[in-house]
Amino acid sequence: MPVFALVDCNNFYASCEKLFDPKLASKPVVVLSNNDGCVVARSAEVKALGIPMGVPWFKIQKEAKRYGIVAFSSNYALYADMSNRVVEVLAQFTPNLEVYSIDESFLDLSGFHRDLIEYGQEIRQRIQQWLGLAVCVGIAPSKTLAKLANHCAKKGLAGSAGVCDFTTMTESQLSQLFANIEVGEVWGVGRKIDARLADMGITTVLQLREADPEVIRSKFSVVLERTVRELRGVSCLDLEEVAPDKQQIMCSRSFGQYVYDRDQLEEVVASYVARAAEKLRKQASLAGALMVFIRTNPFSPKEPQYQCSMTIPLPEATADTRVLVNWALKVLRRIYRPGYGYQKAGVMLSELRPKAMVQASLFVDPENDRGQRLMETLDVINQRWGRGTLRSAAEGIEKAWRMKRQRLSPSYTTDWDGLPMAVAG
């Protein structure tokens, strides 16, 4: 029988922020979205105060002062580095592991002839001791049930001390537990599906588990049918040890201030193309089409409104930043209109294909492609010395449009200048 464990970091972003500042240990902490707009992560103390996810920061200023809520700008470099460290620790517990998201990983524990609850506790203790982060562990014969077991561990519905193992529970115990969990807590059941299931009288996990899979398939999809079977303990979802390549690569941001000039917008688009092209080369793909969009702020109706996007096919699939920037700027010049205060722009690379499967050009010797060697050199330098160390002049220098991050914590683990200082004595 297959056995999966889902290890999920508790309040991951907020926990990373607390990790390097002991003064924050018991304080309510939130992490804000780009441009310090909305709350995207909350510590347990903030959740206890009833502050909802997604609320704009300016709307909770009174609560912030009253309860001493500390807010941080999103520090993705810190979160990504801590996530990699968690995965390194988890890899010591199983040879087969799937990194599902920045704070969640599935572990294959099939064939482990030992007490899995005890094993889950070892995982928790080691991550806590080595990294200072709290995690919960859900164990079950399918990935969907492992997610649900993790939810039960986190909410204290089943298991103990942050570990819940469904494989040790009887059918009657599981039925009693599932009858008291809303169906919306099941992995893959979103708001729309939840509402449609409610119309069918299915409001709990137990009711979905006992539903006829064929009926569910006919009214929804094969995906939800698989969910029903997974809830019954039939493993339908394999571990994905290698993440599949992306089919599209998008890079977009809101600006820290309105941008009116085309020259500044060109800097923005060139910067976003460079970032997207870097991701493209990382997965060894080429792009066959490119889209650029610009827009004003739809939440400022008093300001003149304009938004436009355009997609073009590329003459040859490429991952060369210089070629992609050239085409993106041509698109931008066609869709740009003066007289508007632009608030957001973005680029999307699509029609992606593996580099090794693209037909070679008659005019370029792949063994002597200077552009490819230049891009490889650019990536190596930026990986070693930091993103943007070597970049195209089109990206600009000052970048006054850069998003606001006025509450950014130091890069404690990725920048020598951000190393935390400890004083003894």
Side-chain angles (χ1 to χ4, degrees), residues 87-320:
V87 172
E88 283 185 23
V89 175
L90 294 178
Q92 299 175 8
F93 288 89
T94 178
N96 304 313
L97 177 148
E98 174 189 340
V99 180
Y100 177 66
S101 69
I102 194 168
D103 61 347
E104 291 178 291
S105 292
F106 284 104
L107 281 63
D108 185 356
L109 303 183
S110 306
F112 281 44
H113 300 293
R114 56 171 300 171
D115 187 327
L116 294 181
I117 294 179
E118 188 178 280
Y119 203 52
Q121 291 296 349
E122 282 185 33
I123 294 173
R124 292 191 77 231
Q125 289 164 9
R126 189 170 302 178
I127 293 177
Q128 177 69 55
Q129 184 178 4
W130 288 15
L131 302 177
L133 294 172
V135 302
C136 284
V137 183
I139 303 169
S142 71
K143 290 170 73 175
T144 302
L145 280 176
K147 284 274 286 185
L148 194 60
N150 190 287
H151 169 76
C152 292
K154 195 168 286 187
K155 300 296 181 183
L157 302 176
S160 63
V163 177
C164 177
D165 183 2
F166 281 171
T167 65
T168 62
M169 298 174 66
T170 64
E171 278 300 311
S172 63
Q173 288 175 323
L174 288 174
S175 296
Q176 188 175 358
L177 175 66
F178 292 167
N180 293 300
I181 302 176
E182 294 181 357
V183 70
E185 299 295 344
V186 175
W187 186 28
V189 177
R191 289 182 181 176
K192 290 183 179 178
I193 294 178
D194 190 6
R196 291 175 61 191
L197 287 171
D199 291 340
M200 297 172 60
I202 298 175
T203 59
T204 68
V205 175
L206 180 63
Q207 289 170 323
L208 180 60
R209 188 190 196 209
E210 294 180 344
D212 186 337
E214 299 297 329
V215 173
I216 293 295
R217 179 174 185 166
S218 65
K219 292 186 177 295
F220 293 89
S221 65
V222 69
V223 176
L224 196 60
E225 180 202 2
R226 279 202 295 260
T227 300
V228 172
R229 298 190 188 280
E230 286 245 318
L231 287 174
R232 296 179 178 185
V234 179
S235 177
C236 303
L237 303 173
D238 295 330
L239 209 66
E240 294 184 359
E241 296 177 55
V242 179
D245 288 340
K246 296 176 180 175
Q247 300 302 306
Q248 296 176 331
I249 296 178
M250 178 76 136
C251 185
S252 69
R253 299 278 191 283
S254 298
F255 310 142
Q257 60 187 41
Y258 287 148
V259 172
Y260 295 89
D261 299 332
R262 196 186 76 182
D263 289 347
Q264 277 196 317
L265 272 181
E266 290 184 354
E267 286 185 8
V268 172
V269 169
S271 298
Y272 292 173
V273 168
R275 178 67 181 126
E278 180 185 333
K279 295 179 180 177
L280 185 67
R281 293 190 293 272
K282 192 172 184 180
Q283 69 173 35
S285 296
L286 304 178
L290 176 148
M291 184 269 280
V292 177
F293 78 85
I294 52 177
R295 77 166 200 205
T296 54
N297 185 356
F299 300 105
S300 294
K302 293 182 180 178
E303 299 290 330
Q305 296 292 310
Y306 174 74
Q307 61 177 355
C308 190
S309 66
M310 181 180 286
T311 301
I312 59 165
L314 299 173
E316 287 185 8
T318 182
D320 191 317

